[in-house]
Amino acid sequence: MKILFLPIFTMGVFIAYAQTGNVGINTPSPTNLLHVKGNGTSDPLRVENLLTAQNTAGTLVADATGVVRLKNSNSISSVRITGNVTLAASGTYYATNASSAPTKEYDNLNEFSGNTFTAAQAGLYMVAHSVLFTQQNSGDGYLGNAVILRNGVIIENNASKIAITEVSGAPTSDCYSEATAVIKLNAGDTLTFQSRTYGAGASVPASYRISITRLD
């Protein structure tokens, strides 16, 4: 490959034009249309006097190799799942899809299937699993658990006391349990979700909501 070097001595850098059409600044082997290599002591790129965006704007992000890409609402890892589950036996953990398939409100990168989220990319993820339990009208209430597992290991298990209904049968309040966490995942790591009752005298219907968003 023939390369033409144009030294810019006043700046202490050189520009390389490759036959591939790539342009390199401070690198003799540009691998992209524009390949800028910093000197390790100062930021190599600066852009001024940009116009205000007229449409929905995205964010420029750099991967581990320095390649710049556009991140917008369509490319962010973001999931929202809802559904219902019947917790038939007290003390038993049930996957969210044990009774019926969940409903996907959105899943930008198609990372959720059944009861499993599989991370497409490494990063920090905000995860929330909320379970709304049905109140019983006798006894002294029961515990309701919302659980998050990473690669099959429980990392969040939050329990709330689910009170009984009023004498009239009206619910006393929204009785739910929520497990939340900021979790560091590698590509291919999985998250799964469970719920449980403890001390309930009968089968308990419950509804759930799962939200996952990559933060970085």
Side-chain angles (χ1 to χ4, degrees), residues 16 18 20-24 29-36 65-69:
T20 59
N22 295 342
V23 176
S29 304
T31 58
N32 296 76
L33 286 176
L34 176 60
H35 187 163
V36 181
T65 65
V67 174
V68 177
R69 292 188 173 93

Side-chain angles (χ1 to χ4, degrees), residues 114-193:
N115 183 48
T116 303
F117 171 86
T118 303
Q121 298 175 326
L124 291 175
Y125 291 79
M126 181 67 197
V127 184
H129 176 210
S130 300
V131 183
L132 180 62
F133 297 89
T134 301
Q135 292 177 283
Q136 297 179 335
N137 57 12
S138 63
D140 60 353
Y142 60 91
L143 291 179
N145 295 72
V147 185
I148 301 172
L149 303 89
R150 178 178 58 196
N151 298 328
V153 178
I154 292 176
I155 57 172
E156 290 291 331
N157 186 352
N158 187 62
S160 298
K161 180 65 179 289
I162 310 303
I164 63 172
T165 60
E166 300 284 358
V167 175
S168 64
T172 55
S173 63
D174 288 339
C175 290
Y176 68 93
S177 182
E178 183 174 48
T180 61
V182 176
I183 305 171
K184 185 175 183 180
L185 298 176
N186 295 316
D189 282 352
T190 61
L191 297 173
T192 51
F193 305 87

